[in-house]
């Protein structure tokens, strides 16, 4: 075990050759690390495969770089732009807000105010460690406060107002439970009484905190890390503001119904402002006289129901006035904001591929991956790496916390030793498979942070086999070994460029797990196929979740898990639309665009205990498709080996289904069977809960292999399995999975009609 720790990330995650790439590096235990650009060829250390392979690459990166400990700001909050220091407020004031706390009693939390934690100066409205609403002030020596009488109830909307009059020293704290007479299930109604009205004479006057006014946090200074935000809040904040005078109890009670007096108004952050049909950004608009807008950090979640949501409209586009809720979380992270330690300038003629900055010091090492696309496409084949999926799973905690990990692996999680630094995950944020500390699902994920599980040697702790990027390196190795001329592109390229990203290529191969897709990506894939493109869909659980990129931020994806699908969490009622685009999230299948309509297959099951081979089906002997199996026996099992649980059909599997849109002329050429009962049928297929839906019981639990043609000599070959490409490296790459791939790929990159096309529509010609 070493005392040296190395972490970092690249920005961007993917770039064209010739474009600069920044590497942000943080180290502990030393201030110098050895650095080397390497090309990643294969990530598996399983003796059945070729082993871990990297190639050193000459670069402008020095062999040793200086680096220090870089710190991370956890927690979402919003900072007010106040250059004229309107809100410094040494005089009379009132703070007010609608708020819905999700974790009261956990710690001290600031809802809004200008407060210096280390200086004990300023003023703030917040929640004390006992879970009660509190208004506190400080003059640098002494802190005084006024506290509500009743504890706050989690996930209940309140209106709060705290007033202070420096002439009398009087402070008034009003806590009013919000009553929505239109829909009783969303908040407290009579006979519940959560109100509290308390007055105190404070011993101190608030001094200027010399700190920014914040929503959901307070400023603190630390000698090592400098200024940061602490007292971060968990919960929602709706419309809120500041007055330059005290308000009365009658005014507070009127404001609890939505009234906004204009007399003395300094700032009013109307959280319902800024919505468009394409969503909303991080800026919280001040409609008051000084226009002191607030800017969100670590992406406070917008498009959330507010204090007055009536439960009838399920989307902010129907009535933005009911969607003022902004959700804050004390463990949110979408950008570390680290300083670049070194910049790599990859030459314009660099071979397209997966590269990394390899860092070593004192026995510790880390790889910071970056995907390099060709400066100008020239190869006939593209490997489409699923970078959206990489981000969706970034730093996932499923292996440690989720019951599903035990059910589908048939064993308890295999914990990673501490010396692999997995305990550092908390510092680097969560995945979209995790929950925030208050129980809310995580809807944002970004590459601007160390992603521990996007490393070439990474193994999922509960499964112990490659996943995501390390798994996709099996396909990269096989392409290299087979001598194909190929380039890599990414989901991000496809999202931004659409069809233009695919058009240069005769054939495109999916990575092992293309699960997260945007509307732009779905449409581009359809357009590619109808224009004569040829696709090898060799992954599992693809084209599944509706995903978007945040406007102006290519590093950050957004996804919301709705009320169907294999999901780790479920969005609250009314909160299923993406703040970044305004579209309904959830499954593409639920929006009428099931993956079967594009690639002929769709998700049907997942299991991690074992994988199975494919066996040929009758359609494989028709002359339209028999060429795919040249060199294979009629009864030969395809892929009874593999680096992912010893088979080519496994982990997550897709099936042919005419009812969901598989093209009618599709040939079902092979299928797997015999999966264990740790492979359950996906939840979206089950409308009634009854037993008998496991691998030994339900015929829909299988992986299918299909082939169909599209207009203009286009075609799709699909083997719906995450384990498929991880079988390619076995036996030195000389195996029947590789033979099928070679047969298909060799045909797909030739011009003109595909083999067997002359038999299209003729069901008489069997081999």
């Amino acid at each position: 075990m070493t005392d040296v720790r190395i972490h970092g990330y690249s920005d961007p995650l993917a770039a064209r050759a010739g474009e600069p790439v920044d590497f942000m590096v943080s180290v502990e235990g030393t201030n110098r690390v050895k650095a080397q650009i390497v090309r990643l060829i294969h990530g598996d250390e399983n003796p059945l495969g070729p082993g871990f392979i990297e190639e050193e690459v000459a670069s402008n990166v020095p062999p040793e770089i200086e680096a220090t400990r870089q710190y991370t700001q956890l927690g979402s909050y919003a900072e007010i732009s106040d250059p004229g220091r309107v809100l410094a407020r040494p005089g009379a004031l009132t703070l007010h807000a609608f708020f819905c706390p999700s974790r009261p009693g956990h710690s001290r939390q600031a809802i809004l105010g200008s407060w210096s934690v280390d200086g004990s100066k300023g003023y703030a409205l917040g929640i004390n460690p006992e879970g009660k609403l509190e208004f506190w002030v400080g003059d640098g020596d002494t802190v005084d406060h006024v506290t509500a009488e009743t504890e706050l109830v989690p996930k209940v909307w309140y209106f709060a107002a705290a007033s202070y009059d420096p002439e009398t020293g009087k402070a008034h704290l009003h806590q009013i439970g919000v009553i929505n007479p239109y829909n009783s299930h969303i908040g407290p109604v009579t006979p519940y009484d959560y109100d509290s009205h308390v007055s105190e004479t404070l011993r101190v006057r608030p001094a200027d905190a010399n700190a920014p006014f914040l929503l959901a946090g307070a400023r603190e200074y630390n000698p090592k890390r400098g200024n940061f935000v602490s007292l971060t809040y968990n919960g929602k904040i709706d419309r809120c503001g500041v007055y330059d005078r005290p308000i009365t109890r009658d005014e507070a009670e009127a404001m609890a119904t939505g009234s906004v007096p204009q007399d003395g108004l300094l700032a009013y952050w109307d959280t319902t402002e800024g919505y468009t049909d394409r969503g909303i950004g991080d800026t919280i608009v001040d409609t008051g006289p000084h226009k002191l807008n607030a800017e969100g950090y670590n992406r406070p979640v917008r498009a959330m129901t507010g204090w007055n949501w009536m439960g009838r409209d399920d989307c902010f586009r129907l009535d933005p006035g009911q969607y003022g809720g902004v959700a804050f979380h004390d463990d949110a992270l979408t950008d570390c904001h680290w300083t670049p330690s070194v910049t790599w300038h990859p030459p314009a003629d660099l071979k397209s591929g997966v590269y990394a900055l390899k860092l070593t010091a004192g026995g510790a090492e880390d790889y910071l991956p970056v995907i390099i696309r060709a400066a100008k496409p020239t190869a006939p084949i593209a490997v489409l790496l699923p970078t959206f999926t990489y981000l969706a799973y970034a730093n996932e905690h499923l292996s440690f916390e989720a019951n599903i990990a035990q059910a589908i692996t048939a064993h308890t999680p295999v914990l990673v030793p501490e010396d692999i630094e997995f305990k550092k995950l908390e510092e680097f944020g969560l995945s979209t498979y995790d929950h925030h500390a208050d129980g809310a699902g995580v809807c944002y994920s970004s590459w601007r942070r160390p992603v521990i599980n996007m490393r070439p040697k990474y193994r999922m702790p509960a499964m112990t086999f490659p996943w995501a990027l390390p798994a996709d390196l099996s396909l990269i190795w096989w392409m290299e070994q087979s001598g194909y001329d190929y380039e890599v592109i990414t989901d991000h390229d496809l999202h931004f460029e659409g069809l233009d990203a695919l058009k240069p290529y005769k054939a495109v191969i999916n990575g092992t797990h293309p699960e997260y897709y945007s509307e732009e990506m779905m449409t581009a894939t359809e357009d590619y196929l109808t224009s004569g493109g040829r696709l090898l869909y060799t992954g599992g659980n693809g084209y599944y979740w509706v995903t978007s990129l945040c406007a102006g931020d290519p590093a950050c994806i957004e996804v919301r898990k709705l009320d169907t699908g294999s999901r780790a969490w479920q969005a609250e009622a009314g909160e299923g639309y993406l703040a970044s685009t305004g579209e309904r999230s959830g499954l593409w299948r639920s929006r009428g665009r099931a993956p079967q309509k594009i690639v002929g297959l769709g998700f049907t099951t997942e299991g991690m205990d074992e994988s199975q081979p494919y066996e040929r089906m009758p359609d494989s002997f028709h002359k339209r498709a028999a060429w795919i199996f040249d060199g294979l026996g009629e009864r030969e099992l395809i892929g009874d080996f593999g680096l992912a649980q010893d088979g080519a059909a496994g982990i997550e599997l897709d099936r042919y289904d005419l009812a969901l849109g598989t093209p009618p002329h599709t040939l079902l050429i092979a299928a797997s069977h015999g999966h264990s009962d740790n492979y359950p049928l996906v939840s979206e297929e089950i409308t009634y809960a009854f037993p008998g839906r496991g691998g030994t019981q339900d015929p829909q639990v299988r992986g299918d292999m299909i082939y169909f043609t599209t207009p203009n000599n286009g075609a799709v070959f699909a083997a719906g399995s995450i384990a498929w490409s991880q079988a390619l490296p076995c036996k030195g790459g000389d195996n029947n999975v590789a033979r099928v791939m070679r047969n298909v790929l060799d045909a797909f990159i030739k011009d003109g009609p595909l083999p067997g096309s002359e038999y299209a529509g003729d069901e008489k010609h069997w081999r």
Side-chain angles (χ1 to χ4, degrees), residues 616-649:
R616 295 180 65 172
M617 300 293 283
D619 282 355
S620 72
F621 299 100
H622 193 280
K623 289 188 176 181
R624 285 170 55 201
W627 56 272
I628 295 172
F629 300 93
D630 285 351
L632 276 70
E634 292 186 358
R635 296 183 179 276
E636 184 175 347
L637 295 178
I638 304 166
D640 53 348
F641 49 83
L643 303 180
Q645 304 300 64
D646 302 319

Side-chain angles (χ1 to χ4, degrees), residues 77-107:
Y77 62 94
E79 182 171 332
I80 280 66
S81 174
D82 185 12
R85 296 182 53 74
V86 173
L87 302 178
R89 300 308 306 154
L93 63 87
T94 295
L95 302 177
H96 68 92
F98 288 99
F99 73 107
C100 181
S102 56
R103 214 179 177 203
H106 168 68
S107 61

Side-chain angles (χ1 to χ4, degrees), residues 122-430:
Y123 60 93
L125 176 66
I127 303 171
N128 71 14
E130 289 72 46
K132 293 182 177 180
L133 184 69
E134 194 166 86
F135 173 64
W136 60 84
V137 300
D139 63 5
D141 295 317
T142 305
V143 176
D144 206 352
H145 60 270
V146 54
T147 305
E149 300 162 305
T150 60
E151 293 182 7
L152 296 166
V153 178
K155 299 184 179 179
V156 165
W157 278 106
Y158 297 88
F159 175 79
S163 291
Y164 172 71
D165 185 347
E167 292 186 4
T168 63
K170 281 283 188 180
H172 306 274
L173 183 61
H174 305 285
Q175 173 184 304
I176 302 171
V178 171
I179 297 175
N180 187 333
Y182 299 100
N183 204 327
S184 62
H185 75 273
I186 67 168
V189 296
T190 304
Y192 301 113
D193 184 3
Y194 297 138
D195 293 3
S196 175
H197 301 274
V198 180
S199 298
E200 297 281 358
T201 301
L202 300 182
R203 296 166 294 169
V204 299
R205 294 183 56 160
D208 184 349
N210 195 28
F213 193 101
L214 300 178
L215 306 182
R219 175 58 57 84
E220 184 169 355
Y221 176 79
N222 179 284
K224 287 186 176 180
R225 62 185 298 183
N227 288 321
F228 68 103
V229 173
S230 63
L231 307 189
T232 43
Y233 166 76
N234 286 286
K236 294 180 185 177
I237 299 175
D238 202 337
R239 284 143 282 200
C240 56
V242 184
Y243 287 89
D244 66 0
R245 63 177 180 85
I247 65 168
T248 66
R249 176 171 173 171
D250 287 345
E251 284 181 301
E253 290 176 342
M255 292 170 71
T257 66
S259 171
V260 186
Q262 296 301 302
D263 180 26
L265 186 67
L266 286 176
Y268 182 67
W269 294 285
D270 187 344
T271 50
T272 68
E273 284 286 321
Y275 280 108
T276 70
D277 286 344
R278 297 293 295 175
I280 193 168
D282 284 338
T283 301
I284 301 173
V285 177
D286 173 20
T287 59
H290 301 286
K291 309 303 180 187
L292 308 177
N293 292 345
E295 195 65 32
Y297 287 83
N298 282 330
R299 294 216 172 262
V301 185
R302 310 294 296 273
M304 306 291 272
T305 56
W307 71 272
N308 59 338
W309 184 64
M310 298 179 187
R312 182 174 184 177
D313 298 326
D314 70 343
C315 173
F316 64 82
R317 298 203 312 264
L318 297 172
D319 185 358
Q322 294 184 46
Y323 279 82
V326 182
F328 297 88
H329 303 284
D330 65 3
D331 53 3
L333 175 64
T334 57
D335 193 338
C336 283
H337 291 286
W338 285 1
T339 301
S341 303
V342 65
T343 299
W344 176 38
H345 296 275
D349 60 352
L350 184 70
K351 178 180 174 62
S352 176
V354 182
Y355 292 80
L357 178 65
K358 180 181 180 180
L359 300 168
T360 56
E365 73 173 16
D366 197 10
Y367 290 81
L368 313 187
V370 60
I371 299 162
I372 300 297
R373 182 184 182 189
K376 184 177 181 180
T378 59
I381 304 167
V383 174
L384 176 56
L385 294 177
T387 47
F388 276 29
T389 299
Y390 297 166
L391 295 185
Y393 283 88
N395 294 341
E396 55 82 18
H397 290 63
L398 278 174
S399 305
F400 299 100
E401 300 172 0
N403 292 330
I404 188 175
Q406 300 184 36
I408 62 179
T409 59
H411 61 69
T412 55
V414 180
L415 298 182
V416 175
E418 285 189 354
D419 61 352
I420 302 184
E421 302 181 354
F422 220 83
K423 64 181 181 180
K424 285 285 187 178
L425 275 175
E426 295 294 340
E427 181 183 351
F428 301 137
L430 301 166

